[in-house]
Amino acid sequence: MARKRASDSALKLSVKLRFTPSKEDSKELINYLVRYQQAFNAASKRISEIRSPWQWHKGNEILCEKCKTASDKYYENVKTGEVRCPKCYTFEYGNQFIRKLILPSKRNPVLKKSLKRVTKLSKIAIDYYCTIDHAINHYEAFKEQIKQKRSALKKLKNRLDKLDNILQGIGSNKIVTIPRQNRQRVERYQLQDDYERGFTRGYTKNSLEKQVKSLGEEVARREQVLRRSSTPKLGKLVAKLWEGHSIFDFSGGLEFPKLSLKLGGKTFGPFPLLAGVIKSGSSRKRVIQCLNRIKEEYERKGKSQYAYL
């Protein structure tokens, strides 16, 4: 189980704490992780369905259809044409409000695409909230990765277009033929504009043909990867634990603490965490330091920090 010291402004410290459950507990914990994986993938798909049609725009002022205020920054739904200002979008689809569209509540007890209808994770609502929060974090990281991949692909295409223009334009007035120098055996070519800006090295025809071919294959490969990218899925059996899911007992000291888990309305453990039997002195010291920080936080707040099982 990996413990994290959560802080928005500081470096995060993590440590892996190992425990050995009984065969019965192990079977039930794996069963929970499998159900968690199914719930995560269902929540991720639903979040993608809700958020993917909305695109961010900045520039011309437009009227928000919800609050009727004009804003030059807004979200537009490419499917329905609806427009929302950032404030209204946050109140409908922000991280704290999107779960209302995924989980039923007292105000909205009947929800067509409820997460509880497609998965049977738990009878405890906090388990679903934790799953949705985990899925939101993965979705935002996934969108950022896609953004970076598209940016890198655009740069690659620009380079491919430039080299292809040089290759196809050999002999025209837009391409400068650079005379052979010293021991060079063949001429080199460069775009007229780049040559005038001081890029006088140029490319041989053979080099251009090889680079255009390899870059073309790389562009096609990356485009195929982007086409296959739809929604993030949880491939491993891992679950995010909320505050109160894990309970520590430090009565045996920092070297021999115990851990209990509350998952799906059931308590597992306590499991001994044998930090004191770690062979490596530096590793044992680091784990005990992390446990001490967890203990201090646990005593201060009365509950454990966020973790992953």
Side-chain angles (χ1 to χ4, degrees), residues 207-274:
S207 173
L208 286 168
E209 289 174 345
K210 288 182 178 179
Q211 290 192 58
V212 166
K213 181 181 178 181
S214 63
L215 285 175
E217 292 173 351
E218 180 65 14
V219 165
R221 186 189 67 81
R222 294 195 183 192
E223 286 179 336
Q224 188 176 10
V225 169
L226 283 173
R227 281 195 297 269
R228 288 201 303 263
S229 302
S230 53
T231 57
K233 293 184 178 180
L234 195 63
K236 297 181 179 179
L237 292 180
V238 59
K240 184 177 181 179
L241 305 182
W242 210 263
E243 292 180 342
H245 272 154
S246 51
I247 304 169
F248 282 89
D249 178 9
F250 292 100
S251 59
L254 292 174
E255 294 191 351
F256 300 98
K258 293 181 180 180
L259 170 69
S260 299
L261 297 173
K262 283 188 175 182
L263 299 172
K266 183 179 178 180
T267 302
F268 298 90
F271 306 113
L273 303 173
L274 304 178

Side-chain angles (χ1 to χ4, degrees), residues 13 17 50 62 67 72 108 133 167 175 197 236 253 309:
L13 177 67
L17 304 176
I50 294 170
I62 197 166
C67 64
D72 60 346
N108 188 17
D133 185 70
L167 181 62
I175 304 300
R197 287 201 299 266
K236 297 181 179 179
L309 175 65

